[in-house]
Coordinates of all heavy atoms in Angstrom, one line a residue:
M1276 N 3.3 15.4 -41.0 CA 4.6 15.1 -40.3 C 4.5 13.9 -39.3 O 3.6 13.8 -38.6 CB 5.0 16.4 -39.4 CG 6.2 16.2 -38.7 SD 6.5 17.7 -37.7 CE 8.2 17.9 -38.1
T1277 N 5.4 13.0 -39.5 CA 5.3 11.7 -38.7 C 6.3 11.8 -37.6 O 7.4 12.2 -37.7 CB 5.8 10.6 -39.7 OG1 4.9 10.6 -40.8 CG2 5.6 9.3 -39.0
S1278 N 5.8 11.4 -36.4 CA 6.6 11.5 -35.2 C 7.5 10.2 -35.1 O 7.2 9.2 -35.8 CB 5.7 11.6 -34.0 OG 5.1 10.3 -33.8
E1279 N 8.6 10.4 -34.4 CA 9.6 9.2 -34.3 C 8.9 8.1 -33.5 O 9.1 7.0 -33.9 CB 10.7 9.7 -33.5 CG 12.0 8.8 -33.6 CD 13.2 9.3 -33.0 OE1 13.2 10.6 -32.6 OE2 14.2 8.5 -32.8
I1280 N 8.1 8.4 -32.6 CA 7.4 7.3 -31.8 C 6.4 6.6 -32.7 O 6.3 5.3 -32.7 CB 6.7 7.7 -30.6 CG1 6.3 6.5 -29.6 CG2 5.6 8.7 -30.7 CD1 5.9 6.8 -28.4
G1281 N 5.8 7.3 -33.6 CA 4.9 6.8 -34.6 C 5.6 5.8 -35.5 O 5.1 4.7 -35.7
E1282 N 6.6 6.2 -36.0 CA 7.5 5.4 -37.0 C 7.9 4.1 -36.3 O 7.8 3.0 -36.9 CB 8.6 6.2 -37.5 CG 8.3 7.3 -38.5 CD 9.5 8.1 -38.9 OE1 10.6 7.6 -38.7 OE2 9.3 9.2 -39.5
F1283 N 8.4 4.3 -35.1 CA 8.8 3.1 -34.3 C 7.8 2.1 -34.1 O 7.8 0.9 -34.3 CB 9.5 3.7 -33.0 CG 10.0 2.5 -32.1 CD1 11.1 1.8 -32.3 CD2 9.2 2.1 -30.9 CE1 11.6 0.9 -31.5 CE2 9.6 1.1 -30.2 CZ 10.8 0.5 -30.4
L1284 N 6.6 2.6 -33.5 CA 5.5 1.7 -33.2 C 4.8 1.1 -34.4 O 4.6 -0.1 -34.4 CB 4.4 2.4 -32.4 CG 4.8 2.8 -30.9 CD1 3.8 3.7 -30.3 CD2 5.0 1.6 -30.1
R1285 N 4.7 1.8 -35.5 CA 4.3 1.2 -36.8 C 5.2 0.1 -37.2 O 4.7 -1.0 -37.7 CB 4.1 2.3 -37.9 CG 2.7 3.0 -37.8 CD 2.5 3.9 -39.0 NE 3.4 5.0 -39.0 CZ 3.3 6.1 -38.3 NH1 2.4 6.2 -37.4 NH2 4.2 7.0 -38.4
A1286 N 6.5 0.3 -37.2 CA 7.4 -0.7 -37.7 C 7.3 -2.0 -36.8 O 7.4 -3.0 -37.3 CB 8.9 -0.1 -37.7
K1287 N 7.1 -1.8 -35.5 CA 7.0 -3.0 -34.6 C 5.7 -3.7 -34.8 O 5.6 -4.9 -34.8 CB 7.2 -2.5 -33.2 CG 8.6 -1.8 -32.9 CD 9.7 -2.7 -33.4 CE 11.1 -2.0 -33.3 NZ 12.1 -2.6 -34.0
R1288 N 4.6 -2.8 -35.1 CA 3.3 -3.5 -35.3 C 3.3 -4.4 -36.5 O 2.7 -5.5 -36.5 CB 2.2 -2.5 -35.5 CG 1.7 -1.9 -34.3 CD 0.4 -1.0 -34.5 NE 0.6 0.2 -35.3 CZ 0.0 0.4 -36.5 NH1 -0.8 -0.5 -37.0 NH2 0.1 1.5 -37.1
E1289 N 4.1 -3.9 -37.6 CA 4.1 -4.7 -38.9 C 4.7 -6.0 -38.8 O 4.4 -6.9 -39.5 CB 4.9 -3.8 -39.9 CG 4.1 -2.6 -40.4 CD 4.9 -1.8 -41.4 OE1 6.0 -2.2 -41.7 OE2 4.4 -0.8 -41.8
R1290 N 5.6 -6.2 -37.8 CA 6.3 -7.5 -37.7 C 5.6 -8.5 -36.8 O 6.1 -9.7 -36.7 CB 7.7 -7.2 -37.2 CG 7.8 -6.8 -35.8 CD 9.3 -6.6 -35.4 NE 9.3 -6.6 -34.0 CZ 10.3 -6.4 -33.2 NH1 11.5 -6.2 -33.7 NH2 10.2 -6.4 -31.9
V1291 N 4.4 -8.2 -36.3 CA 3.7 -9.1 -35.4 C 2.4 -9.5 -36.2 O 1.5 -8.7 -36.4 CB 3.3 -8.5 -34.0 CG1 2.5 -9.5 -33.3 CG2 4.5 -8.0 -33.3
A1292 N 2.4 -10.8 -36.6 CA 1.1 -11.3 -37.2 C 0.0 -11.5 -36.3 O 0.3 -11.9 -35.1 CB 1.5 -12.6 -37.9
P1293 N -1.2 -11.1 -36.6 CA -2.4 -11.3 -35.8 C -2.5 -12.7 -35.2 O -2.8 -12.8 -34.0 CB -3.5 -10.9 -36.7 CG -3.0 -10.2 -37.8 CD -1.6 -10.6 -38.0
E1294 N -2.2 -13.7 -36.0 CA -2.3 -15.1 -35.5 C -1.4 -15.4 -34.4 O -1.7 -16.2 -33.5 CB -2.0 -16.1 -36.6 CG -2.7 -15.9 -37.9 CD -1.9 -14.9 -38.8 OE1 -0.7 -14.9 -39.1 OE2 -2.7 -13.9 -39.2
E1295 N -0.3 -14.6 -34.3 CA 0.6 -14.8 -33.1 C 0.1 -14.4 -31.9 O 0.5 -14.8 -30.8 CB 2.0 -14.0 -33.4 CG 2.8 -14.4 -34.5 CD 4.0 -13.5 -34.9 OE1 4.6 -13.0 -33.8 OE2 4.3 -13.3 -36.0
R1296 N -1.0 -13.6 -31.9 CA -1.6 -13.1 -30.7 C -3.0 -13.7 -30.5 O -3.8 -13.1 -29.7 CB -1.7 -11.5 -30.7 CG -0.3 -10.9 -30.7 CD 0.5 -11.2 -29.4 NE 1.7 -10.6 -29.4 CZ 2.9 -11.3 -29.6 NH1 2.8 -12.6 -29.9 NH2 4.0 -10.7 -29.6
G1297 N -3.3 -14.7 -31.2 CA -4.6 -15.3 -31.2 C -5.8 -14.6 -31.8 O -6.9 -14.9 -31.5
L1298 N -5.4 -13.7 -32.8 CA -6.4 -12.9 -33.5 C -6.6 -13.6 -34.8 O -5.6 -14.1 -35.4 CB -6.0 -11.5 -33.6 CG -5.9 -10.7 -32.3 CD1 -5.3 -9.4 -32.6 CD2 -7.2 -10.6 -31.6
P1299 N -7.8 -13.5 -35.5 CA -8.0 -14.0 -36.8 C -7.1 -13.2 -37.8 O -7.0 -12.0 -37.6 CB -9.4 -13.9 -37.1 CG -9.9 -12.9 -36.1 CD -9.0 -12.9 -34.9
A1300 N -6.6 -13.8 -38.8 CA -5.7 -13.1 -39.8 C -6.6 -12.1 -40.6 O -6.2 -11.0 -40.8 CB -5.1 -14.1 -40.7
G1301 N -7.8 -12.6 -41.0 CA -8.6 -11.7 -41.7 C -8.1 -11.2 -43.0 O -7.1 -10.6 -43.0
G1302 N -8.9 -11.4 -44.0 CA -8.5 -10.9 -45.3 C -8.7 -9.4 -45.4 O -9.4 -8.8 -44.5
G1303 N -8.2 -8.8 -46.3 CA -8.4 -7.5 -46.6 C -7.6 -6.4 -45.7 O -7.9 -5.3 -45.6
R1304 N -6.5 -7.0 -45.2 CA -5.7 -6.1 -44.4 C -4.8 -5.3 -45.4 O -4.2 -5.9 -46.3 CB -4.7 -6.8 -43.5 CG -5.4 -7.4 -42.3 CD -4.4 -8.1 -41.4 NE -5.1 -8.7 -40.2 CZ -5.2 -8.0 -39.1 NH1 -4.6 -6.9 -38.9 NH2 -5.9 -8.6 -38.1
R1305 N -4.7 -4.0 -45.2 CA -4.0 -3.1 -46.1 C -2.5 -3.1 -45.9 O -1.8 -2.9 -46.7 CB -4.6 -1.7 -46.1 CG -6.0 -1.6 -46.7 CD -6.5 -0.2 -46.6 NE -6.7 0.2 -45.2 CZ -6.9 1.4 -44.8 NH1 -6.9 2.4 -45.7 NH2 -7.2 1.7 -43.6
V1306 N -2.1 -3.4 -44.6 CA -0.9 -3.4 -44.2 C -0.5 -4.7 -43.4 O -1.4 -5.2 -42.8 CB -0.5 -2.2 -43.4 CG1 -0.5 -0.9 -44.2 CG2 -1.3 -2.0 -42.2
P1307 N 0.6 -5.2 -43.3 CA 1.0 -6.3 -42.6 C 0.9 -6.1 -41.1 O 1.1 -4.8 -40.7 CB 2.4 -6.7 -43.0 CG 3.0 -5.4 -43.6 CD 1.8 -4.6 -44.1
G1308 N 0.7 -7.1 -40.3 CA 0.9 -7.0 -38.9 C -0.4 -6.5 -38.2 O -1.5 -6.6 -38.8
L1309 N -0.2 -6.1 -37.0 CA -1.4 -5.8 -36.1 C -1.9 -4.3 -36.5 O -1.2 -3.5 -36.9 CB -1.0 -5.8 -34.6 CG -0.6 -7.1 -34.0 CD1 -0.1 -7.0 -32.6 CD2 -1.8 -8.1 -34.1
R1310 N -3.2 -4.2 -36.3 CA -3.9 -2.9 -36.4 C -3.7 -2.1 -35.1 O -3.5 -2.8 -34.0 CB -5.3 -3.1 -36.7 CG -5.5 -3.6 -38.1 CD -7.1 -3.8 -38.3 NE -7.3 -4.3 -39.7 CZ -8.0 -5.3 -40.0 NH1 -8.6 -6.1 -39.0 NH2 -8.2 -5.7 -41.2
R1311 N -3.7 -0.8 -35.1 CA -3.8 -0.1 -33.9 C -4.7 -0.6 -32.9 O -4.4 -0.7 -31.7 CB -4.0 1.4 -34.2 CG -2.9 2.1 -34.9 CD -3.4 3.5 -35.3 NE -2.3 4.3 -35.8 CZ -2.5 5.4 -36.5 NH1 -3.7 5.8 -36.8 NH2 -1.5 6.0 -37.1
E1312 N -5.9 -0.7 -33.3 CA -7.0 -1.2 -32.4 C -6.7 -2.5 -31.7 O -7.1 -2.8 -30.6 CB -8.3 -1.3 -33.2 CG -8.9 0.0 -33.7 CD -8.1 0.4 -35.0 OE1 -7.5 -0.4 -35.6 OE2 -8.3 1.6 -35.4
E1313 N -6.0 -3.4 -32.5 CA -5.7 -4.7 -31.9 C -4.6 -4.7 -30.8 O -4.6 -5.2 -29.9 CB -5.2 -5.6 -33.0 CG -6.4 -6.0 -34.0 CD -5.9 -6.6 -35.3 OE1 -4.7 -6.4 -35.7 OE2 -6.7 -7.4 -35.9
V1314 N -3.6 -3.7 -31.1 CA -2.6 -3.5 -30.1 C -3.2 -2.9 -28.8 O -3.0 -3.4 -27.8 CB -1.5 -2.5 -30.6 CG1 -0.5 -2.1 -29.5 CG2 -0.8 -3.1 -31.8
A1315 N -4.1 -2.0 -29.0 CA -4.8 -1.4 -27.8 C -5.6 -2.4 -27.1 O -5.5 -2.6 -25.8 CB -5.7 -0.2 -28.3
L1316 N -6.3 -3.3 -27.8 CA -7.1 -4.4 -27.2 C -6.2 -5.3 -26.3 O -6.5 -5.6 -25.2 CB -7.9 -5.1 -28.2 CG -8.6 -6.4 -27.7 CD1 -9.8 -6.0 -26.9 CD2 -9.0 -7.2 -28.9
L1317 N -5.2 -5.8 -27.0 CA -4.3 -6.7 -26.4 C -3.5 -6.2 -25.2 O -3.1 -6.8 -24.2 CB -3.3 -7.3 -27.3 CG -4.0 -8.2 -28.5 CD1 -3.0 -8.4 -29.6 CD2 -4.5 -9.4 -27.9
A1318 N -3.2 -4.8 -25.2 CA -2.4 -4.0 -24.2 C -3.4 -3.7 -23.0 O -3.0 -3.2 -22.1 CB -1.8 -2.9 -24.7
G1319 N -4.8 -3.7 -23.3 CA -5.7 -3.2 -22.2 C -5.8 -1.8 -22.1 O -6.1 -1.3 -21.0
I1320 N -5.6 -1.0 -23.2 CA -5.8 0.4 -23.3 C -6.8 0.8 -24.3 O -7.2 -0.1 -25.1 CB -4.5 1.2 -23.5 CG1 -3.9 0.8 -24.8 CG2 -3.5 0.8 -22.3 CD1 -2.6 1.5 -25.2
S1321 N -7.2 2.0 -24.2 CA -8.3 2.4 -25.3 C -7.7 2.7 -26.6 O -6.4 3.1 -26.7 CB -9.0 3.7 -24.8 OG -8.1 4.8 -25.0
P1322 N -8.3 2.3 -27.6 CA -7.8 2.7 -29.0 C -7.4 4.1 -29.2 O -6.4 4.4 -29.8 CB -8.9 2.1 -30.0 CG -9.7 1.1 -29.2 CD -9.6 1.6 -27.8
D1323 N -8.3 5.0 -28.7 CA -7.9 6.4 -28.8 C -6.6 6.8 -28.1 O -5.9 7.5 -28.7 CB -9.1 7.2 -28.2 CG -8.8 8.7 -28.3 OD1 -8.7 9.2 -29.5 OD2 -8.8 9.4 -27.3
Y1324 N -6.4 6.1 -27.0 CA -5.1 6.5 -26.2 C -3.9 5.9 -27.0 O -2.9 6.6 -27.2 CB -5.2 5.9 -24.8 CG -3.9 6.2 -24.0 CD1 -3.7 7.6 -23.5 CD2 -2.9 5.4 -23.8 CE1 -2.7 7.9 -22.8 CE2 -1.8 5.7 -23.1 CZ -1.6 7.1 -22.7 OH -0.5 7.4 -21.9
Y1325 N -4.1 4.8 -27.5 CA -3.0 4.2 -28.3 C -2.7 5.0 -29.6 O -1.6 5.4 -29.9 CB -3.3 2.8 -28.7 CG -2.1 2.2 -29.5 CD1 -0.9 1.7 -28.9 CD2 -2.1 2.2 -31.0 CE1 0.2 1.3 -29.6 CE2 -0.9 1.8 -31.7 CZ 0.2 1.3 -31.0 OH 1.2 1.0 -31.8
V1326 N -3.7 5.5 -30.3 CA -3.5 6.4 -31.4 C -2.8 7.7 -31.0 O -1.9 8.1 -31.7 CB -4.9 6.7 -32.1 CG1 -4.8 7.8 -33.1 CG2 -5.4 5.4 -32.7
R1327 N -3.3 8.3 -29.9 CA -2.6 9.5 -29.5 C -1.1 9.2 -29.1 O -0.3 10.1 -29.4 CB -3.3 10.1 -28.2 CG -4.7 10.7 -28.5 CD -5.3 11.5 -27.4 NE -5.9 10.5 -26.5 CZ -5.7 10.5 -25.2 NH1 -4.9 11.3 -24.7 NH2 -6.2 9.5 -24.5
L1328 N -0.8 8.1 -28.5 CA 0.5 7.8 -28.2 C 1.4 7.6 -29.5 O 2.5 8.2 -29.6 CB 0.5 6.5 -27.3 CG 1.9 6.0 -26.9 CD1 2.5 7.0 -25.9 CD2 1.9 4.6 -26.2
E1329 N 0.8 6.8 -30.4 CA 1.5 6.7 -31.7 C 1.8 7.9 -32.5 O 2.6 8.1 -33.1 CB 0.7 5.7 -32.5 CG 1.6 5.1 -33.7 CD 0.9 3.9 -34.4 OE1 0.9 2.8 -33.8 OE2 0.4 4.2 -35.5
Q1330 N 0.8 8.9 -32.2 CA 0.9 10.2 -32.9 C 1.8 11.2 -32.1 O 2.0 12.3 -32.6 CB -0.5 10.8 -33.1 CG -1.3 10.0 -34.1 CD -2.7 10.5 -34.3 OE1 -3.2 11.3 -33.5 NE2 -3.3 10.2 -35.4
G1331 N 2.3 10.7 -31.0 CA 3.1 11.7 -30.2 C 2.4 12.6 -29.4 O 2.9 13.7 -29.0
R1332 N 1.0 12.4 -29.2 CA 0.2 13.4 -28.6 C -0.1 13.0 -27.1 O -0.7 13.8 -26.4 CB -1.1 13.6 -29.3 CG -1.0 14.2 -30.8 CD -2.3 14.5 -31.3 NE -3.1 13.4 -31.6 CZ -4.3 13.2 -31.2 NH1 -4.9 14.1 -30.5 NH2 -5.0 12.1 -31.4
A1333 N 0.3 11.8 -26.7 CA 0.0 11.4 -25.3 C 1.3 11.6 -24.6 O 2.4 11.3 -24.9 CB -0.3 9.9 -25.2
R1334 N 1.1 12.3 -23.4 CA 2.3 12.6 -22.6 C 2.2 11.8 -21.3 O 1.3 11.5 -20.8 CB 2.3 14.2 -22.2 CG 2.5 15.0 -23.4 CD 3.8 15.0 -23.9 NE 4.0 15.8 -25.1 CZ 4.5 15.4 -26.2 NH1 5.1 14.2 -26.2 NH2 4.7 16.3 -27.2
A1335 N 3.5 11.5 -20.8 CA 3.6 10.8 -19.5 C 2.9 9.5 -19.5 O 2.2 9.2 -18.6 CB 3.1 11.7 -18.4
A1336 N 3.2 8.6 -20.4 CA 2.6 7.3 -20.5 C 3.2 6.5 -19.4 O 4.3 6.6 -19.1 CB 2.9 6.6 -21.8
S1337 N 2.4 5.7 -18.6 CA 2.8 5.0 -17.5 C 3.7 3.8 -17.9 O 3.7 3.3 -19.0 CB 1.7 4.5 -16.6 OG 1.0 3.5 -17.3
D1338 N 4.5 3.4 -16.9 CA 5.3 2.2 -17.1 C 4.4 1.0 -17.5 O 4.8 0.2 -18.3 CB 6.2 1.8 -15.9 CG 7.4 2.8 -15.7 OD1 7.7 3.4 -16.7 OD2 7.8 2.9 -14.6
Q1339 N 3.3 0.9 -16.8 CA 2.4 -0.2 -17.1 C 1.9 -0.2 -18.5 O 1.8 -1.3 -19.2 CB 1.1 -0.2 -16.1 CG 1.5 -0.4 -14.6 CD 2.1 0.8 -13.9 OE1 2.1 1.9 -14.5 NE2 2.4 0.7 -12.6
V1340 N 1.5 1.0 -19.0 CA 1.0 1.1 -20.4 C 2.2 0.7 -21.4 O 2.0 -0.1 -22.3 CB 0.5 2.4 -20.7 CG1 0.2 2.7 -22.2 CG2 -0.9 2.6 -20.0
L1341 N 3.4 1.2 -21.1 CA 4.5 0.9 -22.0 C 4.9 -0.5 -22.0 O 5.3 -1.1 -23.0 CB 5.6 1.9 -21.7 CG 5.3 3.4 -21.9 CD1 6.5 4.3 -21.5 CD2 4.9 3.7 -23.3
D1342 N 4.8 -1.1 -20.8 CA 5.2 -2.5 -20.6 C 4.2 -3.4 -21.4 O 4.5 -4.3 -22.0 CB 5.3 -2.9 -19.2 CG 6.5 -2.4 -18.5 OD1 7.4 -2.0 -19.1 OD2 6.6 -2.4 -17.2
A1343 N 2.9 -3.0 -21.3 CA 1.9 -3.8 -21.9 C 2.0 -3.7 -23.4 O 1.9 -4.8 -24.2 CB 0.5 -3.3 -21.6
I1344 N 2.3 -2.6 -24.0 CA 2.5 -2.4 -25.5 C 3.8 -3.2 -25.8 O 3.8 -3.8 -26.9 CB 2.6 -0.9 -25.8 CG1 1.3 -0.2 -25.6 CG2 3.2 -0.7 -27.3 CD1 1.3 1.3 -25.7
S1345 N 4.8 -3.1 -25.0 CA 6.1 -3.8 -25.3 C 5.8 -5.3 -25.4 O 6.4 -6.0 -26.2 CB 7.1 -3.6 -24.2 OG 7.5 -2.2 -24.2
R1346 N 5.0 -5.8 -24.5 CA 4.7 -7.3 -24.5 C 3.9 -7.7 -25.8 O 4.2 -8.7 -26.4 CB 3.9 -7.6 -23.3 CG 4.6 -7.9 -22.0 CD 3.9 -8.6 -21.0 NE 2.7 -7.8 -20.5 CZ 2.7 -6.7 -19.7 NH1 3.9 -6.4 -19.1 NH2 1.6 -6.1 -19.4
V1347 N 2.9 -6.8 -26.1 CA 2.1 -7.2 -27.3 C 3.0 -7.1 -28.6 O 2.9 -8.0 -29.4 CB 1.0 -6.1 -27.5 CG1 0.3 -6.3 -28.8 CG2 -0.1 -6.2 -26.3
L1348 N 4.0 -6.2 -28.6 CA 4.8 -6.1 -29.8 C 6.1 -6.9 -29.8 O 6.9 -6.8 -30.6 CB 5.1 -4.7 -30.0 CG 3.9 -3.7 -30.3 CD1 4.3 -2.3 -30.5 CD2 3.1 -4.1 -31.5
S1349 N 6.2 -7.7 -28.6 CA 7.4 -8.5 -28.4 C 8.7 -7.7 -28.5 O 9.7 -8.2 -29.2 CB 7.4 -9.6 -29.5 OG 6.3 -10.5 -29.3
L1350 N 8.8 -6.6 -27.8 CA 9.9 -5.8 -27.9 C 11.0 -6.4 -26.9 O 10.7 -6.9 -25.9 CB 9.6 -4.4 -27.4 CG 8.6 -3.6 -28.2 CD1 8.5 -2.1 -27.6 CD2 8.9 -3.6 -29.7
D1351 N 12.2 -6.3 -27.4 CA 13.3 -6.7 -26.5 C 13.6 -5.6 -25.5 O 13.1 -4.5 -25.6 CB 14.5 -7.2 -27.3 CG 15.2 -6.2 -28.1 OD1 15.0 -5.0 -27.8 OD2 15.8 -6.5 -29.2
D1352 N 14.6 -5.8 -24.6 CA 14.9 -4.9 -23.6 C 15.4 -3.5 -24.2 O 15.0 -2.4 -23.8 CB 16.1 -5.4 -22.7 CG 15.6 -6.5 -21.8 OD1 14.3 -6.7 -21.7 OD2 16.4 -7.2 -21.3
V1353 N 16.2 -3.6 -25.3 CA 16.7 -2.3 -25.9 C 15.5 -1.6 -26.6 O 15.4 -0.4 -26.4 CB 17.8 -2.7 -27.0 CG1 18.2 -1.4 -27.8 CG2 19.0 -3.3 -26.3
E1354 N 14.7 -2.3 -27.3 CA 13.5 -1.7 -27.9 C 12.5 -1.1 -26.8 O 12.0 0.0 -27.0 CB 12.8 -2.7 -28.7 CG 13.5 -3.1 -30.0 CD 12.9 -4.4 -30.8 OE1 12.4 -5.2 -30.0 OE2 13.1 -4.4 -31.9
R1355 N 12.4 -1.8 -25.7 CA 11.5 -1.3 -24.7 C 12.0 0.0 -24.1 O 11.4 0.9 -23.8 CB 11.3 -2.4 -23.6 CG 10.3 -2.1 -22.5 CD 10.0 -3.2 -21.6 NE 11.1 -4.0 -21.2 CZ 11.3 -5.3 -21.6 NH1 10.4 -5.8 -22.5 NH2 12.3 -5.9 -21.2
D1356 N 13.3 0.0 -23.8 CA 14.0 1.2 -23.3 C 13.8 2.4 -24.3 O 13.6 3.5 -24.0 CB 15.5 1.0 -23.0 CG 15.6 0.1 -21.8 OD1 14.7 -0.1 -21.1 OD2 16.8 -0.5 -21.7
H1357 N 14.0 2.1 -25.6 CA 13.8 3.1 -26.7 C 12.5 3.6 -26.7 O 12.2 4.8 -26.8 CB 14.3 2.5 -28.0 CG 14.3 3.5 -29.1 ND1 15.2 4.6 -29.1 CD2 13.5 3.6 -30.3 CE1 14.9 5.3 -30.1 NE2 14.0 4.7 -30.9
L1358 N 11.4 2.8 -26.6 CA 10.1 3.1 -26.4 C 9.8 4.1 -25.3 O 9.2 5.2 -25.5 CB 9.1 2.0 -26.3 CG 7.6 2.3 -26.2 CD1 7.1 3.1 -27.4 CD2 6.8 1.1 -26.0
R1359 N 10.5 3.8 -24.2 CA 10.3 4.7 -23.0 C 10.9 6.1 -23.3 O 10.3 7.1 -23.0 CB 11.0 4.2 -21.8 CG 10.1 3.1 -21.1 CD 10.7 2.9 -19.7 NE 9.7 2.1 -18.9 CZ 9.6 0.8 -19.0 NH1 10.4 0.1 -19.7 NH2 8.7 0.2 -18.3
V1360 N 12.0 6.1 -23.9 CA 12.7 7.4 -24.3 C 11.7 8.2 -25.3 O 11.6 9.4 -25.1 CB 14.0 7.2 -25.0 CG1 14.6 8.5 -25.6 CG2 15.0 6.7 -23.8
L1361 N 11.3 7.6 -26.3 CA 10.4 8.2 -27.3 C 9.1 8.7 -26.7 O 8.5 9.7 -27.0 CB 10.1 7.3 -28.4 CG 11.2 6.8 -29.3 CD1 10.8 5.8 -30.3 CD2 11.9 8.0 -30.0
A1362 N 8.5 7.9 -25.7 CA 7.2 8.2 -25.1 C 7.4 9.3 -24.0 O 6.4 10.0 -23.7 CB 6.7 7.0 -24.4
R1363 N 8.6 9.5 -23.5 CA 8.8 10.5 -22.5 C 10.0 11.4 -22.9 O 11.1 11.2 -22.3 CB 9.1 9.9 -21.2 CG 7.9 9.1 -20.6 CD 8.3 8.4 -19.4 NE 7.3 7.5 -19.0 CZ 7.5 6.4 -18.3 NH1 8.7 6.1 -17.9 NH2 6.5 5.6 -17.9
P1364 N 9.9 12.2 -23.9 CA 11.1 13.0 -24.3 C 11.5 13.9 -23.2 O 10.7 14.4 -22.4 CB 10.6 13.8 -25.5 CG 9.1 13.7 -25.4 CD 8.7 12.5 -24.6
A1365 N 12.8 14.1 -23.2 CA 13.4 15.0 -22.1 C 12.9 16.4 -22.4 O 12.7 16.9 -23.5 CB 14.8 15.0 -22.2
P1366 N 12.6 17.2 -21.3 CA 12.1 18.5 -21.6 C 13.2 19.4 -22.3 O 14.3 19.2 -22.0 CB 11.8 19.0 -20.2 CG 12.4 18.1 -19.2 CD 12.7 16.8 -19.9
S1367 N 12.7 20.3 -23.0 CA 13.7 21.3 -23.6 C 14.4 22.1 -22.6 O 13.7 22.6 -21.7 CB 13.0 22.2 -24.6 OG 12.3 21.4 -25.6
P1368 N 15.7 22.3 -22.7 CA 16.3 23.2 -21.7 C 15.8 24.6 -21.8 O 15.5 25.0 -22.9 CB 17.8 23.1 -22.1 CG 17.8 22.5 -23.4 CD 16.6 21.8 -23.7
A1369 N 15.7 25.3 -20.7 CA 15.3 26.6 -20.6 C 16.3 27.5 -21.4 O 17.5 27.2 -21.2 CB 15.1 27.1 -19.2
P1370 N 15.9 28.5 -22.1 CA 16.9 29.3 -22.7 C 17.7 30.0 -21.6 O 17.3 30.4 -20.5 CB 16.0 30.4 -23.4 CG 14.6 30.0 -23.2 CD 14.5 28.9 -22.2
D1371 N 19.0 30.2 -21.9 CA 19.9 30.7 -21.0 C 19.8 32.3 -21.0 O 20.0 32.9 -22.1 CB 21.4 30.3 -21.4 CG 22.4 30.8 -20.4 OD1 22.1 31.3 -19.3 OD2 23.6 30.5 -20.6
A1372 N 19.5 32.8 -19.9 CA 19.2 34.2 -19.8 C 20.4 35.0 -20.1 O 20.3 36.1 -20.7 CB 18.7 34.6 -18.3
R1373 N 21.6 34.5 -19.8 CA 22.9 35.2 -20.1 C 23.1 35.4 -21.6 O 23.6 36.3 -22.0 CB 24.1 34.5 -19.5 CG 24.0 34.6 -18.0 CD 25.2 33.8 -17.4 NE 24.8 32.4 -17.6 CZ 25.5 31.3 -17.4 NH1 26.8 31.5 -16.9 NH2 25.2 30.1 -17.6
S1374 N 22.8 34.3 -22.4 CA 23.0 34.4 -23.9 C 22.1 35.4 -24.5 O 22.4 35.9 -25.5 CB 22.9 33.0 -24.5 OG 21.5 32.6 -24.4
S1375 N 20.9 35.8 -23.9 CA 20.1 36.7 -24.5 C 20.5 38.1 -24.4 O 20.1 39.0 -25.0 CB 18.6 36.4 -24.0 OG 18.6 36.8 -22.6
R1376 N 21.4 38.3 -23.4 CA 22.0 39.6 -23.2 C 23.1 40.0 -24.1 O 23.4 41.2 -24.3 CB 22.5 39.8 -21.7 CG 21.4 39.7 -20.7 CD 22.1 40.0 -19.4 NE 21.3 39.3 -18.4 CZ 21.8 38.8 -17.3 NH1 23.0 39.0 -16.9 NH2 21.0 38.2 -16.3
D1377 N 23.7 39.0 -24.8 CA 24.8 39.3 -25.7 C 24.4 40.0 -27.0 O 23.4 40.0 -27.5 CB 25.5 38.0 -26.1 CG 26.2 37.3 -24.8 OD1 26.4 38.1 -23.9 OD2 26.3 36.1 -24.9

């Protein structure tokens, strides 16, 4: 099962060429764009943390981390705001006690 944040980040990684960030293009890339490890390196976070974030397993990512990822991926304001929403989903509402009595 693919998370929405994962789909979003993968799509944004694909559109950034490694050369645009000063990295060697390197042959043998299976997919276009930046690798997860490259995004993490450029954002100043651990590759493991980035992978967890992309998989939707990291909770409460800081503004600094999300801003760093946004810069690396050249997100515009709308995309950056969308990333924040995806990274910090609203808590599920508590079940209404009254409805369970019906």
